Amino acid sequence: MNGDLMLATACEVAVKIGARAVVSFVEPAPVLADVPDIPIIRVQELQLDVLKDLTMHDILEVSERHMLDAAVHLYLRRSLESGLVVGVFPYAVIIYDIEEGKNFINLKDFSDIVPREVLHAALTLALEIGVEGREGRSIGTAFIIGDPEEIFRHSHQAILNPYQGQPPALRDIKNRDNWESVKEFAQLDGVFVIDKNGEVRAAGRYLDVTGRGISLPGGLGGRHRATASITHEIPAIGITVSESGGMVRIFREGNCKIGIRSDIRVRSDG
């Protein structure tokens, strides 16, 4: 069944069940005039050719995983918190509950340390850094969010702090107008320090932690270990962006609590 027919079928299902959106993993993704008020959201940058060699059970399992990744991005980037979406793949159409993505990344689990809106902004910005990189190359960075004075006691400034003396309005990570400067400074060595109000207090900060007692999966480097370590030593939330692969991870109490793929790119076609 070709992509056009699969997409048309998914749109018919979406209308019947009152879905919030159609999430398309097939090419092409045209604007369909007969789907009122239901956006078609195109997911880019996924290699799905492998599906043709799998059994139907495996196809559904892989498709459900991709839908979870897409639901997380819909929750973070488009504020879709409830309802159904219809996912369309080359070999399957799936009805998916957005709550699964929301529950996977429940920001309330961290709100005793960081307000939800601050974590939401930092996480969404981290995903953009993971996708876009800077000047055509991938970059890695980390955000440490908590009591800045306590974070400063466990770190030192490696370069001149570009946020020193800046007015609060220009340091507010909740304001998207400030994200370009953060992306620019993300190329520097070291981490960002963000307070509980969402103000970036420092960039280019090195963490003075030992990493003792921290157990991380293989393949994670010094930035991840240092981030995990400081969240183990003090009440703070750490967000890392991997230079290789752009994976975004959230750390708390020395552990990686959530991992999110940044290569899910969503855009509306309708």
Side-chain angles (χ1 to χ4, degrees):
M1 187 177 290
N2 63 37
D4 287 351
L5 184 54
M6 291 293 286
L7 184 57
T9 300
C11 290
E12 290 178 6
V13 172
V15 171
K16 289 180 180 178
I17 67 173
R20 299 287 303 278
V22 172
V23 181
S24 175
F25 293 80
V26 300
E27 291 282 4
V31 176
L32 301 183
D34 58 344
V35 189
D37 302 322
I38 300 179
I40 298 173
I41 296 172
R42 172 84 180 115
V43 177
Q44 300 172 286
E45 307 301 322
L46 288 180
Q47 302 298 321
L48 296 176
D49 291 345
V50 66
L51 293 180
K52 65 185 179 182
D53 299 321
L54 302 179
T55 65
M56 182 53 67
H57 177 272
D58 290 337
I59 286 173
L60 289 174
E61 189 173 280
V62 171
S63 298
E64 286 178 357
R65 177 63 218 187
H66 285 323
M67 280 303 300
L68 172 58
D69 291 332
V72 168
H73 282 258
L74 292 175
Y75 167 54
L76 287 174
R77 298 186 178 189
R78 298 177 183 272
S79 299
L80 292 182
E81 297 194 13
S82 62
L84 301 175
V85 293
V86 177
V88 53
F89 294 84
Y91 305 100
V93 172
I94 293 178
I95 299 173
Y96 200 86
D97 189 341
I98 295 173
E99 286 282 347
E100 293 195 38
K102 177 185 174 183
N103 291 338
F104 174 76
I105 189 169
N106 191 350
L107 301 186
K108 293 179 181 178
D109 292 344
F110 307 90
S111 60
D112 58 318
I113 297 178
V114 177
R116 177 177 171 177
E117 63 272 17
V118 174
L119 185 58
H120 184 284
L123 191 53
T124 306
L125 172 56
L127 287 169
E128 288 197 8
I129 293 172
V131 169
E132 299 169 4
R134 202 65 178 166
E135 298 178 355
R137 64 183 181 86
S138 299
I139 57 176
T141 192
F143 302 99
I144 311 301
I145 313 172
D147 180 343
E149 298 307 320
E150 198 163 14
I151 298 171
F152 289 160
R153 283 195 291 271
H154 291 79
S155 61
H156 66 276
Q157 197 66 42
I159 59 169
L160 185 66
N161 179 10
Y163 286 97
Q164 184 72 38
Q166 294 293 325
L170 296 182
R171 293 186 278 139
D172 188 359
I173 202 171
K174 301 187 299 300
N175 185 347
R176 294 185 69 97
D177 291 341
N178 296 329
W179 286 11
E180 278 304 308
S181 62
V182 176
K183 291 175 183 178
E184 189 68 26
F185 296 138
Q187 299 177 88
L188 303 173
D189 287 338
V191 304
F192 291 88
V193 176
I194 303 174
D195 67 22
K196 296 180 182 182
N197 294 320
E199 291 181 19
V200 184
R201 300 290 293 273
R205 195 95 184 163
Y206 276 16
L207 300 176
D208 300 324
V209 287
T210 64
R212 286 194 297 268
I214 299 299
S215 178
L216 295 178
L220 298 184
R223 179 182 295 111
H224 297 88
R225 181 166 296 278
T227 300
S229 295
I230 197 166
T231 67
H232 177 69
E233 294 191 16
I234 66 174
I237 302 299
I239 299 175
T240 59
V241 181
S242 294
E243 185 173 351
S244 59
M247 192 77 173
V248 173
R249 295 176 173 87
I250 303 179
F251 290 86
R252 175 176 181 162
E253 297 169 351
N255 297 308
C256 178
K257 298 294 186 180
I258 297 173
I260 309 170
R261 294 173 54 185
S262 66
D263 63 346
I264 300 286
R265 302 192 187 188
V266 297
R267 63 179 176 84
S268 291
D269 287 310

